[in-house]
Amino acid sequence: MNPQLLYVYIKDIGRCFYNQEFSFTNDFDIQFGQERRLLISRKPNPYKKLWGSNISNVNLIVGKNGAGKTTLFDLLGSTNHRRKNLFKKPLRSKLDEFKEEWFAVYHIANDLFVIEGYNPALISNISEIPYGTSYEYSIGATYSFEEQHAQYDDYIQSMSMDGDENTLNRNMLSLYFANDNTKDWFSGNAIRDDEQDYYVGFQRLYSNKPRYANIYKFISREYKMLEKDHTSRHAICVLEREDHIYPGMVTKAEALERFELYLYQDKSQILYYQTEASIILYGSDGNRKRPGSPDRWTTKEKFIITYVEAFIIDLWMNRTDALLEEGAKAECSAAIAALEINANHFQERIGYLLHVLQLINAAADPKLHAGRLRLDAELLTIVVEAFTETADHYFTSSTKMTLHLNEDFDNGIHKLFELFDAYIPRSHAINHSIRITFRHLSSGELAFINGFSNLYTAIDIAQNNKEIKTILILLDEPDASFHPEWSRRYIHNLSKFLNAIDFGRELAYQIVIATHSPFIVSDVPSEHITCIRLHGVVGGIQRIAAKAEFGLMSNFYDIIQNDFFIHSPIGEHAKSIFEDIIKRIGKLREFDKEEIDGLQQLISAIGEPLIRGKLQQMLTDRTTKLFPELERFRRISELERELSQLKKEQRGDNDD
């Protein structure tokens, strides 16, 4: 059985909601309130497997901006540290104390449930909770549906199912993808670590940036599966070495003069200080070569050699003064200058440069972050090996790699990106030596790729953590920047994407989406849609959560007229035009050709085909009902005469 989030009750979290409940299941009816009793009853669910075999259910949280959708997601998906910072309530005095009160209910199997939250005393009909249970708690409980009463079993860190050696708290993971508009991966900013949780309940992982490997995998492979018109066919990814060695405008000749370390026993051999032209025209021994000379460095070799040289130069120029005492630095320099090398061969050069790194590391004072230097050197070795195994044609200069993303998926490139994902956050030096950028993508493509690339995090977690049986995916406005057609297809693409993965074991995705767009609503039953309404009250705004009156296959204009959505997909002036068209259609009480023609012309000017088509259908339905009786008879007679004439022409018996 796969764990599943069923219900959340919020009494007070110091932010947005007070005394509100949210249901995320159609398998149970859950109520809480009278005498603080938690009432659970089973009910038949007609929507099982509605979104495929891998997705247990899809729920929507809808409402205008500021309704509290993100607050709910912060509560469910943020790590414990982040949540504590988010839900701090200002206290009136030092004597005041605010404590959150809320709980979430999960179904595990049969009559076994997990209840976690803040303040275990909030629910009155759970018996035998141990004295001293912390205010923040997560417990397993057996629920009697007949007696409507729960009995404490154990803390979930101590429970397992059916002899499974993994504890219950490891069977489910909440994976929260916050809405991120920066798209740092596109501009080349490093992607930071995912934020892990330390919490008494189910695991939580907060992530708002996809990994490079997942971006590459999605663009080069899965994008084509979801969208037949692969609009990003011209997209490229560039990996470019960046130099942070010398401040200001310094020529390579001046920089070489300043550099005091005698690499290769001859500083002129250092490729990093040579121009692109000189590297091509001169061989590795410094003698002039013909352009076609067989022992000239390949572009790939130049890239890797200069990459490692730049690392060593940066280390020696900018970091060794802090790592090596003056005497140790002089001894290290002399030892490096004494190293002999036949610099004509690529592998010998790389081995020599890595040996230089080992000498610097050995000379560094262990008390002065020498461990960080050792880490950098180890990571550099691994990255160099990955570059060496990468196909030659990706290297377009001594400082740049270029990947055309419409080409077939390349396992070598994917492995290289996995290394950068794993090591960039751990190594400042590696982080600043290679800049990764994606180019020739529109803003809509960026949003589309960003969202689906993030989902690979869930897949990676499922593949690498066999104890996980359910991943609760929380998506905060994933379609916010989409073209309306992509929003309309989002649930379809989401289910297609997640159901395409075969894990060879039972695993379920439970998905909760926060949105204020109408385009994905018609793919979800109303029982799975919670609307948050804003009500003005004395002293502020009250938020009320309730199930939707619209849902699966609802008409678009029925949805869009609802005050949750009308402002979202179109501009404010367009909104007034839209509302005016609907009102004018609704006011048609008799056949008015001039008014109908005017509406027809206005509707035809609407640029979005989906909205234009719905309004046109609405006008057609209305005018059909309003057709005057005599006009209807006249039209019928006219059509009958035309039909009779056609029959005569077909028989060759034309009266004319």
Side-chain angles (χ1 to χ4, degrees):
M1 187 69 182
N2 302 94
Q4 182 182 161
L5 172 67
L6 304 182
Y7 175 88
V8 173
Y9 172 79
I10 300 173
K11 181 178 180 183
D12 192 2
I13 55 175
R15 182 176 162 195
C16 285
F17 297 110
Y18 178 76
N19 196 29
Q20 294 299 309
E21 55 186 347
F22 301 84
S23 177
F24 300 96
T25 180
N26 210 44
D27 293 309
F28 299 90
D29 272 324
I30 304 181
Q31 300 176 28
F32 180 77
Q34 189 174 8
E35 298 179 347
R36 297 185 292 108
R37 290 173 56 82
L38 177 62
L39 307 180
I40 306 175
S41 60
R42 296 183 183 274
K43 69 175 184 178
N45 183 2
Y47 305 123
K48 289 184 181 294
K49 306 299 181 183
L50 186 65
W51 297 281
S53 58
N54 287 354
I55 300 176
S56 60
N57 65 50
V58 175
N59 281 270
L60 304 183
I61 307 295
V62 302
K64 295 181 178 180
N65 286 331
K69 303 184 298 297
T70 300
T71 293
L72 178 64
F73 275 38
D74 285 337
L75 182 69
L76 291 175
S78 283
T79 55
N80 200 28
H81 172 75
R82 181 180 295 269
R83 193 167 55 249
K84 284 180 177 178
N85 289 329
L86 288 170
F87 301 117
K88 285 184 176 179
K89 184 177 181 180
L91 304 179
R92 289 171 295 181
S93 73
K94 293 182 179 180
L95 298 177
D96 287 342
E97 182 180 10
F98 170 73
K99 290 187 176 181
E100 304 166 38
E101 291 186 284
W102 66 276
F103 66 85
V105 180
Y106 301 82
H107 183 232
I108 306 302
N110 302 321
D111 58 354
L112 178 61
F113 294 81
V114 163
I115 304 171
E116 63 179 36
Y118 278 56
N119 186 14
L122 184 59
I123 305 173
S124 65
N125 58 328
I126 304 179
S127 61
E128 300 186 22
I129 296 179
Y131 177 79
T133 296
S134 63
Y135 196 81
E136 178 185 49
Y137 70 99
S138 186
I139 60 173
T142 303
Y143 191 86
S144 170
F145 296 102
E146 294 77 18
E147 299 177 4
Q148 294 186 328
H149 185 273
Q151 180 173 323
Y152 166 85
D153 277 352
D154 206 341
Y155 300 110
I156 67 169
Q157 293 88 346
S158 305
M159 300 179 68
S160 60
M161 290 292 295
D162 302 325
D164 191 343
E165 63 181 17
N166 297 305
T167 53
L168 192 59
N169 65 312
R170 301 186 63 82
N171 288 169
M172 184 173 184
L173 171 74
S174 293
L175 185 55
Y176 179 16
F177 295 115
N179 186 12
D180 175 34
N181 295 319
T182 61
K183 310 296 184 295
D184 285 344
W185 57 268
F186 180 71
S187 60
N189 293 335
I191 298 176
R192 65 172 179 264
D193 273 335
D194 296 322
E195 186 177 321
Q196 301 285 344
D197 197 14
Y198 300 93
Y199 180 60
V200 299
F202 290 117
Q203 306 169 78
R204 286 170 167 82
L205 180 64
Y206 178 90
S207 177
N208 66 345
K209 297 185 186 299
R211 298 167 184 168
Y212 287 124
N214 292 340
I215 296 167
Y216 171 72
K217 186 192 300 184
F218 178 76
I219 296 178
S220 61
R221 193 166 66 183
E222 262 61 57
Y223 197 162
K224 303 169 188 177
M225 175 186 76
L226 299 181
E227 294 293 326
K228 293 181 180 178
D229 296 327
H230 189 37
T231 56
S232 64
R233 60 186 178 276
H234 299 301
I236 62 172
C237 176
V238 175
L239 290 80
E240 191 165 12
R241 193 193 75 226
E242 288 195 309
D243 295 330
H244 302 273
I245 300 174
Y246 295 98
M249 299 297 293
V250 178
T251 67
K252 289 201 171 187
E254 291 172 332
L256 178 61
E257 184 66 26
R258 295 184 188 184
F259 186 54
E260 299 174 352
L261 191 62
Y262 277 80
L263 293 179
Y264 311 120
Q265 295 184 333
D266 179 2
K267 291 197 300 181
S268 66
Q269 297 276 349
I270 302 174
L271 296 190
Y272 172 80
Y273 287 119
Q274 299 176 22
T275 64
E276 190 74 15
S278 67
I279 297 175
I280 293 174
L281 293 176
Y282 288 84
S284 56
D285 59 359
N287 296 322
R288 192 172 182 81
K289 299 290 181 180
R290 296 186 304 275
S293 179
D295 63 344
R296 150 184 99 131
W297 302 116
T298 66
T299 305
K300 173 180 173 178
E301 290 170 343
K302 288 182 289 182
F303 179 97
I304 299 172
I305 291 170
T306 55
Y307 174 69
V308 183
E309 287 178 346
F311 184 92
I312 293 173
I313 294 168
D314 181 32
L315 173 63
W316 191 262
M317 295 291 294
N318 300 322
R319 298 170 62 195
T320 50
D321 285 344
L323 294 170
L324 280 72
E325 295 181 353
E326 186 173 346
K329 185 174 181 179
E331 291 178 6
C332 182
S333 177
I336 292 171
L339 285 177
E340 295 185 0
I341 176 178
N342 179 358
N344 293 328
H345 301 287
F346 171 72
Q347 291 296 344
E348 285 195 32
R349 274 216 175 197
I350 294 300
Y352 166 84
L353 291 170
L354 294 178
H355 188 190
V356 168
L357 271 176
Q358 293 172 3
L359 290 176
I360 298 173
N361 185 71
D365 187 339
K367 298 177 182 178
L368 301 175
H369 307 290
R372 169 59 64 183
L373 173 58
R374 183 178 298 109
L375 174 64
D376 287 345
E378 291 171 355
L379 298 184
L380 182 72
T381 302
I382 296 171
V383 173
V384 166
E385 290 174 356
F387 278 135
T388 305
E389 295 171 3
T390 304
D392 294 6
H393 71 274
Y394 294 115
F395 297 85
T396 51
S397 79
S398 62
T399 61
K400 184 184 297 184
M401 292 177 64
T402 303
L403 287 58
H404 293 274
L405 297 174
N406 63 335
E407 296 178 351
D408 291 337
F409 178 80
D410 187 321
N411 280 315
I413 293 296
H414 185 253
K415 178 183 177 182
L416 184 65
F417 279 133
E418 286 183 322
L419 288 173
F420 275 92
D421 287 328
Y423 296 143
I424 279 178
R426 296 168 55 193
S427 170
H428 175 82
I430 301 294
N431 177 10
H432 282 275
S433 59
I434 294 290
R435 180 180 175 86
I436 303 174
T437 57
F438 293 79
R439 303 176 184 178
H440 309 320
L441 291 166
S442 69
S443 58
E445 288 167 340
L446 282 176
F448 189 85
I449 293 166
N450 191 77
F452 279 94
S453 299
N454 255 329
L455 290 174
Y456 268 117
T457 304
I459 295 169
D460 291 341
I461 290 169
Q463 289 174 332
N464 297 323
N465 297 271
K466 304 302 182 184
E467 69 271 24
I468 293 178
K469 298 179 180 178
T470 295
I471 297 181
L472 172 62
I473 300 177
L474 304 168
L475 301 168
D476 189 6
E477 298 186 6
D479 63 327
S481 301
F482 281 8
H483 181 279
E485 178 62 15
W486 276 350
S487 287
R488 190 185 68 83
R489 290 172 53 83
Y490 182 71
I491 297 294
H492 172 78
N493 283 336
L494 185 66
S495 58
K496 186 176 181 180
F497 182 78
L498 293 177
N499 283 304
I501 314 314
D502 182 10
F503 292 105
R505 62 187 177 92
E506 186 180 4
L507 184 135
Y509 298 106
Q510 183 179 2
I511 301 169
V512 184
I513 302 172
T515 183
H516 54 75
S517 168
F519 293 100
I520 64 175
V521 167
S522 63
D523 282 341
V524 179
S526 60
E527 297 96 320
H528 288 247
I529 304 173
T530 300
C531 301
I532 304 173
R533 293 186 181 275
L534 301 177
H535 293 278
V537 295
V538 177
I541 296 175
Q542 183 180 13
R543 292 164 174 84
I544 305 296
K547 287 302 176 183
E549 299 175 357
F550 44 78
L552 189 64
M553 299 188 195
S554 294
N555 278 330
F556 176 82
Y557 61 83
D558 288 337
I559 298 172
I560 204 169
Q561 285 185 89
N562 192 287
D563 60 5
F564 291 110
F565 304 112
I566 190 66
H567 73 290
S568 177
I570 52 179
E572 185 63 25
H573 186 62
K575 168 189 168 183
S576 65
I577 296 173
F578 179 88
E579 292 175 332
D580 183 61
I581 292 173
I582 290 178
K583 288 178 182 177
R584 288 170 63 182
I585 293 174
K587 287 180 179 180
L588 285 171
R589 295 292 182 265
E590 58 183 24
F591 189 83
D592 183 339
K593 187 176 185 305
E594 183 177 350
E595 174 68 358
I596 291 171
D597 287 347
L599 284 167
Q600 181 63 58
Q601 292 174 14
L602 187 56
I603 292 171
S604 66
I606 294 174
E608 170 53 47
L610 187 63
I611 298 177
R612 184 176 64 242
K614 292 295 184 180
L615 289 176
Q616 180 60 63
Q617 185 62 50
M618 191 176 180
L619 178 60
T620 300
D621 293 345
R622 188 66 178 173
T623 54
T624 300
K625 294 178 182 178
L626 296 176
F627 230 91
E629 196 68 21
L630 290 177
E631 180 67 19
R632 190 177 293 114
F633 284 136
R634 186 194 65 77
R635 183 61 178 149
I636 290 173
S637 299
E638 187 178 87
L639 292 172
E640 287 177 343
R641 284 196 301 273
E642 290 179 8
L643 180 61
S644 177
Q645 181 67 23
L646 288 171
K647 287 181 178 179
K648 287 180 182 180
E649 291 175 357
Q650 187 177 20
R651 293 195 303 266
D653 183 17
N654 194 322
D655 293 338
D656 294 338

